[in-house]
Amino acid sequence: MIRKRRSRLTPQEYIDGILSKNPFILSRAITLIESQLESDNQLATQIIDKLMPHTGKSVRVGITGVPGVGKSTFIETFGLYLAELEKQNKKVAVLAIDPSSQRSGGSILGDKTRMEKLSNHTNAYIRPSPAGNSLGGVSQKTRETMLLCEAAGFDVILIETVGVGQSETIVKGIIDFFLLLMLAGAGDELQGIKRGIMEMADMLVITKADGENKKAATRAKSQYKHALHLFPPNEAKWTVPVEICSALENEGISDIWKNIEKYIEQTIENRFFQHNRSQQNKQWLHQTIEERLKRDFYKNENVKNQLVELENQVANGNRNAVEVAKELLENYYQEI
Ligand code: GDP
C-alpha cells in the first residue's frame, strides 16, 4: 500500500521504526532533534525518553584530529573493518562533521565525498552533523542522536570532532573512549593540538604510516609514548597506547580496535566505565537545566526590553553589573 508521506509520524511510529532498525525513520527522528522548531524538539525528547531502556549498549568512541590528519579516511577504513569483523559484523554509526559546515577550508573538504564505501555498507549509518549556533547546542543534539542510534541497534558509535579544543571537551562528556589522530613530523603547535586534548585521549594514533612516511610515524610513536609518560595517571587507570596506522593501506586497524576492546573490558572490571557514564548522565542533566534557564531568561519579553538600556549603563560604568543582574533576575522570577 502506498501511503502519502506525512510530515510527521506519531511518536509510536517513530519508536517502532527505530526499534525495528529502520534507517529512514531513524533519519527522520534525527531531523526532529536537529530542527529549529521547538515542537519538533519536544517530540524528539518524548521519543528519546521512551527509548531510553534500549540505549546505552554501544561502545561510544570519539575521534579527533586537525583537518587533513586523515579522520574521514580512517573512519571509512575502521568502520568497514568493524562492519565486516569476522562473525561479529558490528553495526557502526558515524556522527560525522559536515565538511560544508566547517569554517576553515570548507570548500576544499566540501568538494569530496567522504566515506563513500562505508556509507553504502548495510551495517553502517553515517549522519553528518550540521553547523549549529552554539557548540553546546550541537553537542546536546549529538548526544540525543547517539541515543537514537543505540536504540536502533548500533554497536559502535563513532563521533568525529576537529581537534580544536572546545568541541572535544564537550564530546568527552558523552563518549567512552577518545581516539586522537596525529600526524608524524608535525610539531604539536603545527597540528593545533592542545595539551588538554592530549590529556583527554585514551589512545594516540599516528596516521598515514605508509611509504616514505612510515619511518617518521614509527619515530613519532616513540616520542609520543615518552611524552605521555610525563602526564599524570588518568582516572581510568589506563595506560594510553600509541599506535601507528595506514588507513589507505589498511594497516594497524585491527590493533586499534583491540585496544578499544581492552579498554572497555578493563574499565568495566575496575568499574570506571559505569562510573564515567553515570557522571556523564548527571552532568547532562545539569547542563540541560542551565541551558534551559538561560534560554528562557533571555527569551523573556521584559528582559529583552530592558536589556539594551541596562547593558549600556553597565558598559558606561554608570551602574554596577552585579546589581543590575540581581535586579533583572528578581524581576524575572517575580514574573514567572
Ligand atoms: P580529514 O580532514 O582529517 O578528514 O582527512 P582526510 O581523511 O580527508 O585525509 C586528508 C588527506 O590525507 C587525503 O588526501 C587523504 O587521501 C590522505 N590520507 C588519509 N589517510 C591516509 C593514509 O593512511 N595514508 C596516506 N598516505 N594518506 C592518507
Side-chain angles (χ1 to χ4, degrees):
M1 187 180 77
I2 299 172
R3 201 170 67 168
K4 195 164 162 267
R5 189 179 146 150
R6 284 183 286 147
S7 61
R8 262 191 192 182
L9 305 172
T10 64
Q12 197 56 47
E13 282 173 316
Y14 280 110
I15 292 166
D16 294 342
I18 290 167
L19 291 178
S20 64
K21 307 184 188 341
N22 180 326
F24 302 105
I25 297 200
L26 174 63
S27 289
R28 290 184 64 182
I30 296 173
T31 304
L32 292 178
I33 294 176
E34 290 170 352
S35 164
Q36 303 292 330
L37 285 179
E38 181 82 24
S39 58
D40 283 347
N41 297 164
Q42 273 171 10
L43 178 57
T45 49
Q46 210 184 326
I47 295 164
I48 294 165
D49 201 42
K50 290 270 168 17
L51 288 171
M52 283 310 284
H54 304 276
T55 65
K57 293 183 194 83
S58 80
V59 176
R60 306 163 174 177
V61 181
I63 297 177
T64 195
V66 293
V69 70
K71 289 183 297 300
S72 56
T73 315
F74 172 79
I75 293 172
E76 163 123 312
T77 306
F78 187 59
L80 284 170
Y81 166 79
L82 294 175
E84 289 171 3
L85 204 57
E86 210 186 334
K87 296 198 193 91
Q88 295 188 38
N89 285 339
K90 297 227 174 273
K91 287 193 73 191
V92 187
V94 180
L95 311 186
I97 297 162
D98 177 357
S100 58
S101 75
Q102 264 180 272
R103 248 182 284 158
S104 58
S107 58
I108 308 165
L109 290 164
D111 284 344
K112 66 178 180 162
T113 316
R114 299 171 106 228
M115 308 171 203
E116 208 177 349
K117 268 195 223 145
L118 185 62
S119 56
N120 289 324
H121 199 287
T122 45
N123 283 341
Y125 177 79
I126 300 183
R127 179 81 183 194
S129 15
N133 297 335
S134 75
L135 269 172
V138 170
S139 70
Q140 170 79 26
K141 290 172 193 293
T142 306
R143 183 173 196 270
E144 292 182 341
T145 303
M146 174 183 85
L147 294 173
L148 286 189
C149 290
E150 288 185 341
F154 287 93
D155 306 295
V156 183
I157 319 268
L158 305 177
I159 304 177
E160 183 191 16
T161 58
V162 269
V164 287
Q166 210 177 347
S167 51
E168 282 67 35
T169 313
I170 297 166
V171 165
K172 178 81 177 169
I174 62 178
I175 53 167
D176 304 315
F177 190 91
F178 209 2
L179 187 59
L180 173 59
L181 302 184
M182 305 279 275
L183 289 166
D188 291 357
E189 290 85 345
L190 201 78
Q191 300 200 16
I193 292 293
K194 300 202 174 65
R195 188 191 153 95
I197 298 188
M198 288 258 285
E199 278 180 348
M200 278 191 255
D202 297 304
M203 169 158 56
L204 255 59
V205 173
I206 322 284
T207 56
K208 310 188 192 184
D210 45 48
E212 292 187 347
N213 204 29
K214 190 158 182 179
K215 251 196 190 151
T218 312
R219 212 166 35 236
K221 174 175 165 168
S222 62
Q223 283 166 355
Y224 279 121
K225 261 193 171 163
H226 185 71
L228 286 172
H229 274 309
L230 307 171
F231 282 15
N234 54 37
E235 244 192 300
K237 302 198 165 45
W238 166 252
T239 311
V240 176
V242 185
E243 298 285 350
I244 60 171
C245 87
S246 166
L248 279 189
E249 297 192 353
N250 209 338
E251 273 181 32
I253 301 295
S254 59
D255 284 343
I256 295 171
W257 179 241
K258 275 185 206 140
N259 272 304
I260 297 177
E261 279 191 310
K262 194 169 144 201
Y263 175 89
I264 302 293
E265 215 173 276
Q266 186 179 312
T267 54
I268 285 178
E269 203 173 304
N270 72 17
R271 303 207 50 81
F272 175 79
F273 186 88
Q274 300 84 329
H275 167 76
N276 187 40
R277 282 206 175 175
S278 317
Q279 289 298 109
Q280 289 177 336
N281 290 344
K282 273 201 260 181
Q283 193 186 332
W284 272 102
L285 171 67
H286 289 289
Q287 277 183 18
T288 310
I289 292 173
E290 281 163 31
E291 265 168 36
R292 286 280 159 91
L293 283 173
K294 204 160 108 182
R295 192 194 61 192
D296 292 349
F297 174 74
Y298 284 109
K299 261 177 38 187
N300 181 276
E301 283 305 318
N302 281 338
V303 171
K304 278 202 273 189
N305 290 339
Q306 294 176 63
L307 203 58
V308 178
E309 174 55 28
L310 289 170
E311 256 177 4
N312 283 336
Q313 290 179 14
V314 170
N316 295 336
N318 293 334
R319 298 227 30 215
N320 172 10
V322 179
E323 193 52 32
V324 170
K326 192 171 150 238
E327 213 173 278
L328 270 171
L329 283 165
E330 277 171 3
N331 290 345
Y332 171 69
Y333 288 131
Q334 262 170 22
E335 191 194 320
I336 57 168

